[in-house]
Amino acid sequence: MREKNRPIGIFDSGIGGLTVVKEIIRELPNEDIVYFGDTARLPYGNKSARTVTRFSLENVKFLLKFNVKSIVVACNTSSSLSLPALRKKFKVPILGVVSPAVKKAVELSPGGRIGVIATAATVGSACYQREIKKSAGRYKSFAQACPLFVPLVEEGWTNDDVTLEVARRYLGPLVKQNIDTLILGCTHYPLLEKLIRKAVGERIQFVDSAKETALELKRVLAENGLKSLSRSARYKFFVSDEPERFRKAARRFLGKIPCLNKGKFSSTISP
Ligand code: DGL
């Protein structure tokens, strides 16, 4: 198969990475996608760097079986904790979600005060904070772990008073720090965008790491002459636990994009 027409591999700890898939389909509708969600071992957001890196290495190995031309680490936690180890081990180009989000935030931030919300492991890794410092030394970053957001989104409580109260508690300290830009640094947070907007008001601009990663992937493929020439795309979804729950929740995460009908869902043993 011509290199350009090989699929893109995407992995996440579970279902949340579909927010990244959705943006990639929007930006690159001709690309075949193989998705792996590690539903048997999620969440990654409360695990150690060693464990997340071990899982991530296995996930990449699984995706390489499909002859992918590049890999997107949709999971913010894996991107924050494991990207250097993945790049060291594998030759295939691997893109994470942190750098594209930071690039955009630095570009947008008028006063250099950037907030980051993410899982506890992502915040603990200080990866976002380091990248912001590297890209704009004078900018200040303020990170807040929001561990309750992932289960609330998976429960479907994305427009609920309880979740709004939780958001106010998590985001209050960042608003007090007078941030002007907020990075949504977790796969699940795009589904909470409206509610977070309610909690923080209109003044703060949001950066969605899923959207920025899709745009970065589009740039990288174009620059390397790797954009697919095919007219239609095929999608394959694999999960490490039984696929039924994933299939049901997928609709919410993928929104109206009709790719679900084309997508083939399979379950696979832990890679
Ligand atoms: N996918 C994870 C992330 O973006 C959130 C879910 C989890 O903790 O596994 O950080």
Side-chain angles (χ1 to χ4, degrees):
M1 192 194 279
R2 289 178 71 163
E3 196 176 10
K4 298 172 194 263
N5 292 344
R6 285 157 53 195
I8 294 166
I10 304 176
F11 82 83
D12 178 51
S13 55
I15 181 130
L18 292 179
T19 55
V20 179
V21 170
K22 178 177 166 183
E23 298 299 334
I24 290 176
I25 291 172
R26 186 173 285 157
E27 291 301 328
L28 293 159
N30 300 331
E31 300 292 338
D32 289 353
I33 290 174
V34 181
Y35 179 90
F36 177 72
D38 196 4
T39 49
R41 303 191 289 195
L42 63 75
Y44 284 8
N46 59 7
K47 293 196 169 66
S48 67
R50 215 170 114 205
T51 299
V52 171
T53 301
R54 178 161 61 85
F55 293 169
S56 301
L57 288 163
E58 290 169 1
N59 299 344
V60 170
K61 260 190 215 149
F62 175 75
L63 288 172
L64 288 176
K65 292 185 190 151
F66 298 88
N67 196 22
V68 293
K69 63 183 169 189
S70 71
I71 286 180
V72 176
V73 183
C75 179
N76 280 259
T77 305
S78 297
S79 294
S80 300
L81 269 51
S82 315
L83 201 58
L86 299 179
R87 286 186 171 150
K88 199 165 151 202
K89 172 105 186 165
F90 301 105
K91 280 208 293 289
V92 65
I94 303 181
L95 201 75
V97 290
V98 175
S99 296
V102 167
K103 214 197 266 175
K104 186 67 183 178
V106 164
E107 194 185 303
L108 282 184
S109 171
R113 297 183 76 79
I114 301 175
V116 180
I117 51 172
T119 64
T122 298
V123 169
S125 76
C127 182
Y128 271 104
Q129 299 93 308
R130 268 198 315 275
E131 285 274 331
I132 292 169
K133 184 127 212 97
K134 220 164 70 193
S135 320
R138 287 175 303 106
Y139 282 26
K140 290 226 152 19
S141 61
F142 305 89
Q144 173 68 50
C146 305
L148 293 175
F149 277 171
V150 165
L152 285 166
V153 169
E154 296 205 352
E155 200 57 34
W157 292 18
T158 51
N159 184 17
D160 190 286
D161 286 346
V162 169
T163 314
L164 183 60
E165 179 53 31
V166 170
R168 289 201 170 114
R169 289 235 200 150
Y170 282 146
L171 287 142
L174 297 185
V175 174
K176 271 208 188 111
Q177 289 293 345
N178 215 12
I179 57 163
D180 52 43
T181 306
L182 178 68
I183 298 178
L184 308 182
C186 174
T187 46
H188 290 57
Y189 299 176
L191 279 87
L192 290 175
E193 196 175 327
K194 281 197 191 122
L195 182 133
I196 296 171
R197 171 62 67 210
K198 255 197 213 165
V200 302
E202 293 301 320
R203 194 184 51 80
I204 297 167
Q205 355 179 39
F206 291 175
V207 173
D208 174 353
S209 55
K211 214 173 269 170
E212 297 311 319
T213 302
L215 290 168
E216 177 76 7
L217 177 66
K218 191 174 172 181
R219 254 192 313 269
V220 170
L221 293 183
E223 269 168 28
N224 294 294
L226 281 177
K227 275 177 90 173
S228 166
L229 300 173
S230 87
R231 294 242 181 85
S232 61
R234 278 164 306 171
Y235 307 117
K236 284 189 187 148
F237 299 92
F238 294 91
V239 285
S240 47
D241 200 358
E242 61 84 31
E244 206 38 47
R245 216 180 136 242
F246 179 85
R247 194 200 308 268
K248 280 196 189 126
R251 210 165 286 278
R252 266 191 312 120
F253 281 78
L254 282 169
K256 291 210 177 68
I257 290 178
C259 69
L260 269 185
N261 302 333
K262 292 191 244 162
K264 223 176 109 199
F265 289 83
S266 312
S267 177
T268 178
I269 318 290
S270 277

